[in-house]
Amino acid sequence: MMRSDHPLVGRESLLFADTLDFDHIGLHTASSIYLRSQYAATQAGKAMRLRINVPGFDAVCRMVQANMGLGLIPDRAFEVVGAGMDLRAVPLRDAWGRRELKIVVRDAAHLSATSRLMLDHLRAAETESAGRLGGEP
């Protein structure tokens, strides 16, 4: 994600390596996005120009808005937090930029009623999302 006046703003998509000549705003150092981006920078033979680490997606958006650098956040987080801030999202073409999240339970039959409702809701949302994208859950 970037400000609307950033030099990379007109691109349809980017390779992460294309962003490494610019300053970045990082999530906290234990976040999967931060760790994966550090690894990707190493693989590209460059260091990230990291200006600051912040605790959450909203803080990343605020720092990008303040012209401190580029930010990496999930699409949905951008839609919720960043879209109303005159920021632009440009998708990464790198395969690592697409994450697959899993929910793991020891025994679904022994979940509390609330946990079972949550699991059923997430399964239904996954099925609905796969249907929209033409894939399988």
Side-chain angles (χ1 to χ4, degrees):
M1 143 187 76
M2 60 196 71
R3 285 171 42 117
S4 60
D5 59 352
H6 193 277
L8 297 176
V9 81
R11 304 211 185 165
E12 196 168 309
S13 64
L14 291 166
L15 290 171
F16 181 67
D18 297 336
T19 72
L20 293 174
D21 291 331
F22 299 93
D23 291 336
H24 281 255
I25 308 303
L27 281 169
H28 59 88
T29 58
S31 72
S32 61
I33 292 174
Y34 174 79
L35 294 170
R36 188 58 185 96
S37 63
Q38 288 293 315
Y39 180 75
T42 301
Q43 292 299 107
K46 292 185 172 186
M48 280 184 68
R49 291 173 36 181
L50 192 64
R51 296 275 308 263
I52 191 170
N53 289 93
V54 296
F57 301 137
D58 58 333
V60 172
C61 292
R62 294 283 177 210
M63 295 296 109
V64 171
Q65 188 180 41
N67 204 25
M68 292 188 68
L70 301 171
L72 293 175
I73 63 173
D75 292 339
R76 183 69 179 131
F78 179 79
E79 291 168 10
V80 171
V81 181
M85 300 173 73
D86 196 32
L87 301 175
R88 302 293 182 264
V90 178
L92 290 178
R93 288 196 309 263
D94 305 80
W96 66 265
R98 289 177 287 285
R99 299 189 307 171
E100 182 176 314
L101 303 176
K102 298 189 183 290
I103 294 183
V104 180
V105 298
R106 185 172 299 186
D107 185 356
H110 289 97
L111 290 174
S112 69
T114 304
S115 296
R116 183 66 204 185
L117 285 170
M118 175 65 88
L119 182 62
D120 291 345
H121 170 76
L122 293 171
R123 284 181 172 160
E126 176 187 33
T127 301
E128 179 184 322
S129 176
R132 281 195 316 263
L133 298 175
E136 293 194 27

